[in-house]
Amino acid sequence: MINFLDLKAINNQYQQELKDACVRVIDSGWYIMGNELTQFETEFAAYCGTKHAIGVANGLDALILTLRAWKELGKLQAGDEVIVQANTYIASVLAITENDLVPVLVEPNPATYNLDPTTVAAAITAKTKAILPVHLYGQLSPMPEIMAIAKKHNLLVLEDCAQAHGAEINGQRAGNWGNAASFSFYPGKNLGALGDAGAITTNDDELARTLKALRNYGSHKKYENLYQGVNSRLDEIQAAMLRVKLPYLEAETIRRQKISQAYRSGITNPLVTLPHVIDELAHVWHLFVVRCEQREALQAYLAEQGVQTLIHYPVAPHKQQAYSQWNNISLPVTEEIHQQVLSLPLDPTMSEEAVAQVIAAVNGFNA
Ligand SMILES: *Cc1c(COP(=O)(O)O)cnc(C)c1O
């Protein structure tokens, strides 16, 4: 069986270093908000090319707290509209509604699954205050165009980089385009902790300061509370795990790009639509997502051939029970994507034979 993702194999590559880092934290006697976090924040900001990185408990909190910080700073207020692509993972939308802001769900570019500058421009109203581009599946959104729209209409931009660590356009990385960006280090992401973790990157000093207070009870200084904050901190153990893995991220990304290149040249089945790539460096291949009108049959066939696949995602946010008020909205491009997408195995530790086996299995499918 070819697994979709073998987390144990991924972390086994760095087993000794991870264990040594665990011991280092245990022996330090300091487990929250210490040196590992500060070091990781410096190293991750350097990786992204930003002035700041602020560690938080997970990727969803990174999104929620950034919007919350903008509310505290008077840049957003309840009822303001935030434009986001309708086919995103639900976390992006939850962060907006959690802050009593209004998500404006727009159809994505059907080829890239990312925000389409034309649809974004058409969705702007007097209440629009922010754009939330999600670099879905690992491909950077068309940020030069999105930033131009934002500048023209004076909008904030929050990048959801949970799937796009290291993706770049013209040498500028994900997380260094918008006013702020959120990252997730959920174990299965391209840079994964051994538990939950997340971060915000930004070049804005005031925002960084506000986020550091918000994640820690709203306190910038012990027992003084500026805001009604939350507890959303990145543990020392997880920061230490991330510090071990960050130096290897580039090599893992290159391996992901090579596997994807093999899939893209090897898969020739006319029933299967391959991902559309704008720029090789702009895609870090968190997921290799194909489309097929007979998706269920393809998935069942691949399972018979010993290839495990997953669906990202089977149900769009506006079709979820959690958002029953939007269940009747019609977003045909988005709905078709959710009916047709299938994610092939993509794991930097995959062998050449496994890659060849996936290609042969996909090419062997006929409806
Ligand atoms: C994973 C993910 C998140 C949430 O990250 P968590 O760390 O699981 O909270 C947010 N947005 C997108 C696009 C994601 O893929």
Side-chain angles (χ1 to χ4, degrees):
M1 184 74 178
I2 299 173
N3 290 320
F4 179 75
L5 183 71
D6 189 342
L7 277 181
K8 187 172 170 185
I10 289 175
N11 289 322
N12 261 347
Q13 303 175 98
Y14 321 117
Q15 197 192 85
Q16 196 53 51
E17 282 184 77
L18 291 169
K19 286 180 177 169
D20 291 347
C22 270
V23 170
R24 182 175 77 224
V25 174
I26 293 167
D27 287 350
S28 77
W30 192 280
Y31 307 116
I32 287 174
M33 302 283 269
N35 185 50
E36 299 289 341
L37 175 62
T38 313
Q39 293 293 326
F40 174 67
E41 288 175 335
T42 304
E43 291 156 9
F44 192 65
Y47 176 82
C48 296
T50 57
K51 201 165 169 192
H52 304 281
I54 300 100
V56 293
N58 55 65
L60 175 59
D61 278 0
L63 287 162
I64 291 176
L65 292 176
T66 305
L67 294 171
R68 170 80 193 278
W70 281 333
K71 287 174 78 183
E72 296 292 351
L73 292 169
K75 295 186 176 182
L76 289 178
Q77 56 184 40
D80 286 346
E81 292 177 358
V82 181
I83 296 173
V84 63
Q85 72 245 48
N87 60 315
T88 184
Y89 179 55
I90 197 165
S92 330
V93 183
L94 288 171
I96 299 170
T97 54
E98 173 68 21
N99 276 290
D100 298 319
L101 300 163
V102 179
V104 175
L105 303 171
V106 297
E107 295 273 40
N109 177 320
T112 63
Y113 312 111
N114 276 336
L115 266 183
D116 185 335
T118 321
T119 348
V120 171
I124 292 171
T125 72
K127 300 204 85 174
T128 308
K129 289 288 161 0
I131 308 176
L132 204 166
V134 184
H135 309 317
L136 210 61
Y137 308 147
Q139 180 155 237
L140 202 62
S141 310
M143 293 313 291
E145 292 83 356
I146 290 171
M147 294 314 295
I149 294 173
K151 195 170 174 203
K152 184 171 166 199
H153 297 273
N154 197 22
L155 308 175
L156 294 163
V157 175
L158 170 56
E159 299 172 70
D160 184 340
C161 301
Q163 304 187 359
H165 317 67
E168 60 182 68
I169 294 177
N170 301 333
Q172 193 170 339
R173 279 190 162 151
N176 192 19
W177 283 90
N179 304 80
S182 64
F183 285 86
S184 165
F185 308 116
Y186 178 80
K189 306 290 186 184
N190 286 23
L191 177 60
L194 276 67
D196 274 313
I200 301 111
T201 55
T202 184
N203 292 312
D204 180 338
D205 297 341
E206 189 184 38
L207 178 67
R209 217 169 24 245
T210 309
L211 284 165
K212 282 184 177 174
L214 279 175
R215 73 173 172 190
N216 190 31
Y217 306 111
S219 171
H220 64 305
K221 197 171 156 197
K222 207 164 189 185
Y223 305 125
E224 273 182 40
N225 299 72
L226 289 173
Y227 313 104
Q228 296 170 24
V230 299
N231 177 346
S232 180
R233 301 177 296 219
L234 199 173
D235 294 343
E236 289 288 283
I237 280 274
Q238 295 309 336
M241 300 298 97
L242 290 165
R243 291 187 65 206
V244 168
K245 293 179 74 179
L246 180 60
Y248 299 107
L249 177 57
E250 195 135 349
E252 288 204 358
T253 300
I254 291 169
R255 181 73 194 128
R256 285 175 184 273
Q257 287 165 335
K258 289 227 165 83
I259 294 167
S260 304
Q261 189 58 54
Y263 281 167
R264 283 158 63 213
S265 55
I267 297 172
T268 51
N269 190 330
L271 298 172
V272 174
T273 307
L274 291 169
H276 182 74
V277 180
I278 301 292
D279 173 341
E280 298 294 335
L281 293 180
H283 209 322
V284 294
W285 300 101
H286 174 56
L287 296 169
F288 192 94
V289 176
V290 299
R291 284 174 78 165
C292 178
E293 280 180 36
Q294 303 86 357
R295 191 248 323 261
E296 268 65 34
L298 174 61
Q299 184 170 39
Y301 175 82
L302 291 176
E304 277 168 28
Q305 304 298 310
V307 175
Q308 187 193 15
T309 57
L310 295 176
I311 296 170
H312 300 92
Y313 299 90
V315 182
H318 73 284
K319 291 292 183 191
Q320 298 285 355
Q321 200 179 327
Y323 291 122
S324 57
Q325 70 274 30
W326 303 328
N327 286 177
N328 293 325
I329 297 177
S330 169
L331 291 158
V333 174
T334 296
E335 284 152 33
E336 193 178 279
I337 288 171
H338 285 79
Q339 281 156 18
Q340 296 184 349
V341 289
L342 189 68
S343 308
L344 302 184
L346 181 50
D347 179 326
T349 66
M350 262 174 108
S351 67
E352 303 297 334
E353 300 78 66
V355 173
Q357 221 175 310
V358 173
I359 294 170
V362 175
N363 286 339
F365 172 71
N366 39 37

